[in-house]
Amino acid sequence: MHASHSLDAPAAPQIGFDAFLAVDIRIGTIVSAEPFPEARKPAIKLVIDFGPAIGRKKSSAQITRHYRPEALPGRQVAAVVNFPPRQIGKFLSEVLTLGFADAEGEVVLFRPDLAVPDGSRLF
């Protein structure tokens, strides 16, 4: 998750629809999750299956306040799949898993109300 999770952050500047379309946000299912104690901020290492077109991708997510690794496999999550990979210690995070801040600024994962096919794109 990036900076500005604060609840009183102003709205971002207006963008054109093409800028929105450039961000590829997909649904995937977590296939494995394990603790990432070496990370500077507490995190969980995820492997997420985004279906046949994108496949399985890794993500480091700072979600330890509300989630335990053993409870995450099988859960659908949304992620940005077209950012360049980021090296986090010895772990290469390939996608940015998305969430919202709760009242204390801790991450709550974002997922659809109903199951959708892995690889479905946000529009």
Side-chain angles (χ1 to χ4, degrees):
M1 308 296 153
H2 291 298
S4 80
H5 323 69
S6 98
L7 301 173
D8 57 356
Q14 281 192 351
I15 60 171
F17 191 62
D18 287 347
F20 169 73
L21 291 177
V23 181
D24 192 351
I25 298 172
R26 306 276 182 133
I27 290 295
T29 297
I30 297 172
V31 293
S32 71
E34 58 186 72
F36 190 7
E38 318 88 86
R40 268 184 307 135
K41 292 184 179 171
I44 297 175
K45 292 192 258 190
L46 305 174
V47 176
I48 306 166
D49 186 349
F50 291 98
I54 293 171
R56 291 183 173 194
K57 300 290 182 183
K58 296 181 297 188
S59 183
S60 172
Q62 294 170 9
I63 57 174
T64 56
R65 180 67 160 287
H66 294 303
Y67 304 96
R68 297 199 342 239
E70 60 273 16
L72 290 168
R75 179 193 179 98
Q76 286 196 305
V77 291
V80 176
V81 299
N82 66 331
F83 283 150
R86 287 183 58 210
Q87 194 72 42
I88 302 173
K90 294 180 180 172
F91 185 76
L92 187 66
S93 188
E94 300 172 295
V95 299
L96 176 67
T97 304
L98 300 176
F100 293 93
D102 68 10
E104 284 79 49
E106 297 293 335
V107 178
V108 175
L109 290 169
F110 178 68
R111 68 173 167 186
D113 280 0
L114 305 172
V116 297
D118 288 335
S120 290
R121 187 170 177 175
L122 180 73
F123 60 87

